[in-house]
Structure formats: C-alpha cells, structure tokens
Amino acid sequence: NATTNKIWAYLEKQDTWYESDFRLLSTILYFFPLENIKQFTQKILNSIKKYQSFRYGNNLQIGLLVNLSTIYLYNGLKRECAEITKYIYDLSKKEKHYDSLGLSQIRLGICKNDNELIKKGIALLQLTDEKELVKSLKEEIEKSPIAIEKLTYYEKEYFPEVIEYKSLSEAIANSKESKKAMEIKVFNK
C-alpha cells in the first residue's frame, strides 16, 4: 500500500516517536508483512520505555502493544507475543486498566500454556463486565495452538458439576443455556 509506505518512510526516519507517531503506527501496523514488523518491534518497545513515567500516552501505548501482540500471537510466535504482552501487563497494572490487564493475563496464559493465568484473566474480565472482550478472547483461546486441559470458569468447590466436551466452542455453546458454572475439559486432537 502506497500510503502505508509513505507513513512508514516518515516514521522510520524519526529518532523519537511521539503520541501522534504512535497513533499512525497503530493504524498501519496490520498492513506490514510480518518480517517488517519483526524488524521494528524493538524500536517500538524502546520508544514506549521512554514514556513510562508519563501517564498521558499509556492508553495509546497499550493499544499499540495489543495490536502488536495480536500479530505475533496469530502468527504462532508465542515468545515474541509473551514479551510484548508483559509490557501490556505492566502498563495496565500501573494504570489500573482492568480490561487490558485481563487481556494480558489471558494472552500470557496462552503463550506460557498457563491455564491458571487464563482463568485469572477471564475472571477479572467477567468481574468488570467486559462481556464482548471475554467473548472475543474465548474465541482467541479456542483458536490458539495450545492444549488446554482444564479451563475452569469458577472454582470447583462452589460448582462441583463437571461436564466434558470435545472442543471449547461446544462447551461455550452449551454453557450459554446453563446457569450453573462448570469445569470444562478440552481435548486437543
């Protein structure tokens, strides 16, 4: 895309990226090939580190990092996704942004095959009534190439019913009808 290339030609020359630069980058990020993104990821992370003590740009930085981590996750690059998601986690915790904090917990859980972290993220998002984000992240969990043996929405001692499904989508579809929480076992084929 010619417009994307012009914007990148401008951004690439900058020693320091500012708020408007982060906005531009966040907008065009998905238009780059993965190889290009790999080349400038460290510059993004270094630029964000410069602004850690400023509060005004953290929402924008979190958004950019979420977009960046999404690209790495969807391309199966868990290590890179985890590194970027750790920045999201730290910024979100500092700023008390519970939506991105829950998202970062789920993403880190996916990258590290840590079901407890996934559960913690889902619980946080459910407590903060982030229904759409929970729905989208459940789809992300289902699509991720990890083996989730147990994904417990509520603690077993409060809701002892155990139901086994062959896929997470089947479990989610069936759980919409039920008011009881359940333990879901997902088996990878």
Side-chain angles (χ1 to χ4, degrees):
N1 185 338
T3 305
T4 302
N5 291 335
K6 286 180 185 178
I7 294 170
W8 177 245
Y10 160 77
L11 289 173
E12 189 176 30
K13 294 175 189 172
Q14 305 301 317
D15 290 330
T16 303
W17 285 337
Y18 299 100
E19 183 178 0
S20 59
D21 299 325
F22 286 131
R23 287 185 198 284
L24 282 172
L25 191 54
S26 188
T27 303
I28 65 172
L29 195 61
Y30 288 100
F31 293 102
F32 288 107
L34 182 60
E35 291 309 312
N36 292 38
I37 292 171
K38 287 179 182 179
Q39 291 174 0
F40 59 78
T41 294
Q42 195 56 52
K43 185 173 181 178
I44 292 172
L45 297 177
N46 291 340
S47 294
I48 286 175
K49 284 179 189 177
K50 291 179 188 177
Y51 296 105
Q52 283 183 340
S53 59
F54 297 99
R55 291 182 57 107
Y56 72 89
N58 286 342
N59 287 340
L60 186 56
Q61 293 171 17
I62 289 170
L64 175 59
L65 290 170
V66 167
N67 290 346
L68 194 57
S69 72
T70 300
I71 290 169
Y72 280 113
L73 180 66
Y74 287 8
N75 282 283
L77 301 169
K78 288 191 210 178
R79 186 181 52 77
E80 293 86 347
C81 179
E83 179 184 342
I84 294 162
T85 304
K86 180 67 171 111
Y87 282 94
I88 299 167
Y89 178 85
D90 293 340
L91 273 172
S92 300
K93 194 168 182 181
K94 175 183 166 191
E95 296 297 319
K96 298 180 181 10
H97 287 247
Y98 299 110
D99 55 348
S100 54
L101 182 61
L103 176 141
S104 64
Q105 289 171 325
I106 292 170
R107 286 247 170 109
L108 284 171
I110 290 170
C111 292
K112 296 178 177 186
N113 293 331
D114 184 340
N115 295 327
E116 291 302 313
L117 202 49
I118 292 171
K119 290 189 304 186
K120 190 175 178 181
I122 289 174
L124 177 61
L125 293 174
Q126 287 176 331
L127 285 171
T128 56
D129 204 30
E130 293 286 344
K131 294 175 185 169
E132 288 302 310
L133 186 54
V134 169
K135 181 180 175 186
S136 125
L137 288 169
K138 282 181 180 177
E139 291 171 9
E140 194 170 280
I141 292 165
E142 182 182 49
K143 290 177 185 175
S144 68
I146 63 171
I148 301 174
E149 292 178 10
K150 292 182 182 177
L151 179 58
T152 307
Y153 292 111
Y154 299 96
E155 290 303 318
K156 196 173 178 178
E157 56 268 16
Y158 298 114
F159 301 96
E161 179 182 355
V162 175
I163 301 174
E164 293 183 12
Y165 294 97
K166 291 182 180 174
S167 72
L168 184 56
S169 58
E170 180 186 349
I172 291 169
N174 287 321
S175 69
K176 289 177 185 173
E177 311 276 335
S178 172
K179 296 198 184 228
K180 292 182 179 181
M182 65 192 77
E183 180 176 345
I184 298 172
K185 292 186 176 179
V186 179
F187 299 95
N188 241 5
K189 293 208 174 205

